[in-house]
Amino acid sequence: MSNLEAFRAETRAWLEENCPKAMRTPMQGEADFCWGGRKYTFQSEDQKVWLERMAARGWTVPTWPKEYGGGGLTKDEAKILATEMKRLNARVPLVSFGIWMLGPALLKFGTEEQKKEHLPKIARGEIRWCQGYSEPNAGSDLAALATKAVDHGDHYIINGQKIWTSYADKADWIFCLIRTDTTVKHDGISFVLFDMETPGVSTKPIKLISGNSPFCETFFDDVKVLKKNLMGEENKGWTIAKYLLTHERSNIGDMGVPTPLNMLAKDKLGTKDGELSVTMLRHQIAEHEIDAASFMFTLERAKDAAKSGGDQGAFSSLLKGYGTELNKDRHELIVKVNGSDSFEWEGQFSNNGEIARTWLRTKGNSIEGGTTEVQLNIISKRILGLPS
Ligand SMILES: Cc1cc2nc3c(=O)[nH]c(=O)nc-3n(C[C@H](O)[C@H](O)[C@H](O)COP(=O)(O)OP(=O)(O)OC[C@H]3O[C@@H](n4cnc5c(N)ncnc54)[C@H](O)[C@@H]3O)c2cc1C
């Protein structure tokens, strides 16, 4: 038996024994995701146990080094773990901006002290992070950010405002872009980490069309941040910011492998001679499924390239741009399949308006992490080599 086959057998047996039955059911919505953090309330004892068991093996972040709370798995082993979890319908034990975004950046740019302090807490789900990038006048043109840090020797005093800070009111720490030099644009930005309980930090939730309030305005009034919390060099934060964005974009673009639409449609609308009875929808769904399958192959190709050490770079813009538009298309079709049932907003039948709320939420996918137009600009310049 090869090493990988032995790893698969051990992993399968461990998952069978350790994944609680309730954690082998599809997540019904946002509430089922485990975000961790100081303020997080577990939805059930099973959810807590599942996180603890997976974290103890480092399998919340399978490829991170063991010394930082990871599983130390190779990319091939991690792929096997993912396949075996899928086989069991095991839920992802922990989701977080720490895992998707900050962790990879810390591994590349953090000091040893920063890695040792922050990575294990991310891996165990003890600290939840939020992202302080956008400002009222700095979204697509992120480098226009104005949140200002004044140098006081061993610390900065920070003043300014962020906006659209997802889950800022639920997060424990923030990774944040600040201006440490006002005379230059990109070269005057630094990347800092600080506790959201630092005096002078406040948040104000923003309510969305979906009825949820997943993000906030975040204010900094004379916030003191020690320089040991500066990541990378002063005024060199833009490089880290961009690197982190490639991870954010790849993650947003990769929507996983959802239930095929034709199955959802057949369940809802019925079939005639084995085919979906509504002809027009049948064509639209077929087209979507072909696009989705092609995209899945592209994602696999990107993952293989990353496995052999390739940098995602601008390719993450392609994944993000296409993946999020595809996801919007998928939810438009789900709404069509479910007809007027889609618009029930509250009540048990619709799981509290899950279809409508998710459909509305997908509109934000093509904005967060950089809009589709911005991704198209990057693709045209950096992949296709077109002039600006
Ligand atoms: C669900 C959600 C979650 C978010 N979470 C966070 C978060 O946690 N932290 C954070 O910092 N930010 C977050 N954001 C903010 C997000 O990063 C910004 O909304 C995004 O970068 C766009 O910036 P903007 O909203 O200022 O739009 P603008 O930059 O003002 O853009 C307005 C319109 O102009 C277009 N446009 C702008 N520039 C160009 C150009 N050069 N070429 C072509 N078209 C252009 C855009 O595509 C868009 O359609 C989130 C946003 C959403 C929707």
Side-chain angles (χ1 to χ4, degrees), residues 237-249:
W238 187 244
T239 306
I240 305 177
K242 280 193 300 179
Y243 179 78
L244 185 142
L245 276 175
T246 62
H247 284 269
E248 178 179 13
R249 287 172 181 162

Side-chain angles (χ1 to χ4, degrees), residues 131 133-134 139-140 164 166 215 361 364 367-369 371 373 377:
Q131 177 188 32
Y133 273 35
S134 308
S140 300
W164 318 123
S166 296
F215 45 35
R361 176 63 183 82
I367 302 173
E368 62 197 316
T371 64
E373 290 78 13
N377 283 346

Side-chain angles (χ1 to χ4, degrees), residues 79-381:
K79 202 166 173 179
I80 289 176
L81 171 61
T83 320
E84 289 303 315
M85 285 177 67
K86 194 176 278 168
R87 191 186 142 269
L88 214 62
N89 282 325
R91 293 184 180 183
V92 174
L94 180 67
V95 295
S96 79
F97 290 2
I99 294 177
W100 299 327
M101 300 186 224
L102 180 64
L106 261 172
L107 282 167
K108 191 170 167 86
F109 297 100
T111 61
E112 195 51 31
E113 195 188 343
Q114 288 168 341
K115 289 182 200 174
K116 288 220 165 91
E117 180 182 353
H118 297 298
L119 291 171
K121 291 179 193 164
I122 293 173
R124 294 194 295 264
E126 289 169 4
I127 292 293
R128 182 170 179 177
W129 288 82
C130 62
Q131 177 188 32
Y133 273 35
S134 308
E135 297 183 6
N137 292 313
S140 300
D141 185 13
L142 182 59
L145 63 93
T147 290
K148 199 175 160 200
V150 176
D151 193 330
H152 284 259
D154 67 342
H155 67 274
Y156 298 109
I157 294 293
I158 299 177
N159 280 285
Q161 186 200 337
K162 298 289 171 182
I163 195 164
W164 318 123
T165 327
S166 296
Y167 310 115
D169 51 342
K170 299 184 175 65
D172 307 306
W173 276 63
I174 186 167
F175 49 92
C176 193
L177 296 178
I178 52 168
R179 180 154 297 288
T180 35
D181 185 341
T182 50
T183 62
V184 276
K185 196 172 177 183
H186 298 80
D187 291 338
I189 293 171
S190 298
F191 194 108
V192 287
L193 316 171
F194 54 94
D195 195 317
M196 290 294 279
E197 282 180 10
T198 312
V201 179
S202 59
T203 59
K204 193 168 156 208
I206 303 167
K207 197 155 187 179
L208 295 190
I209 190 175
S210 64
N212 296 329
S213 190
F215 45 35
C216 298
E217 290 178 280
T218 305
F219 303 93
F220 307 130
D221 295 302
D222 288 336
V223 177
K224 179 179 173 181
V225 176
L226 292 178
K227 282 200 182 155
K228 74 177 176 91
N229 288 330
L230 174 72
M231 211 166 114
E233 284 174 50
E234 188 176 83
N235 295 327
K236 298 276 186 252
W238 187 244
T239 306
I240 305 177
K242 280 193 300 179
Y243 179 78
L244 185 142
L245 276 175
T246 62
H247 284 269
E248 178 179 13
R249 287 172 181 162
S250 303
N251 273 300
I252 298 174
D254 183 356
M255 298 287 171
V257 186
T259 312
L261 274 180
N262 61 348
M263 283 168 64
L264 294 179
K266 279 179 180 171
D267 279 354
K268 183 77 189 175
L269 301 171
T271 55
K272 193 168 164 234
D273 302 327
E275 289 186 327
L276 188 66
S277 45
V278 186
T279 319
M280 201 178 76
L281 262 181
R282 195 164 73 216
H283 290 310
Q284 289 177 341
I285 288 175
E287 245 175 68
H288 176 89
E289 294 290 317
I290 291 167
D291 289 345
S294 315
F295 183 62
M296 208 183 70
F297 290 128
T298 308
L299 264 176
E300 284 302 312
R301 184 159 61 90
K303 283 177 189 167
D304 278 344
K307 210 163 65 180
S308 44
D311 192 352
Q312 292 279 39
F315 202 72
S316 63
S317 291
L318 190 150
L319 300 180
K320 202 267 170 185
Y322 195 77
T324 54
E325 293 300 328
L326 196 66
N327 196 41
K328 285 199 311 198
D329 186 48
R330 174 180 160 80
H331 285 273
E332 290 287 342
L333 285 167
I334 291 178
V335 165
K336 282 189 193 168
V337 165
N338 287 281
S340 56
D341 287 352
S342 304
F343 297 108
E344 187 181 285
W345 196 240
E346 281 166 343
Q348 233 177 350
F349 173 70
S350 64
N351 190 21
N352 247 341
E354 185 65 25
I355 295 175
R357 289 173 200 268
T358 310
W359 167 65
L360 289 169
R361 176 63 183 82
T362 61
K363 308 293 176 199
N365 291 153
S366 53
I367 302 173
E368 62 197 316
T371 64
T372 295
E373 290 78 13
V374 166
Q375 306 316 312
L376 290 175
N377 283 346
I378 296 173
I379 292 165
S380 68
K381 263 190 247 169

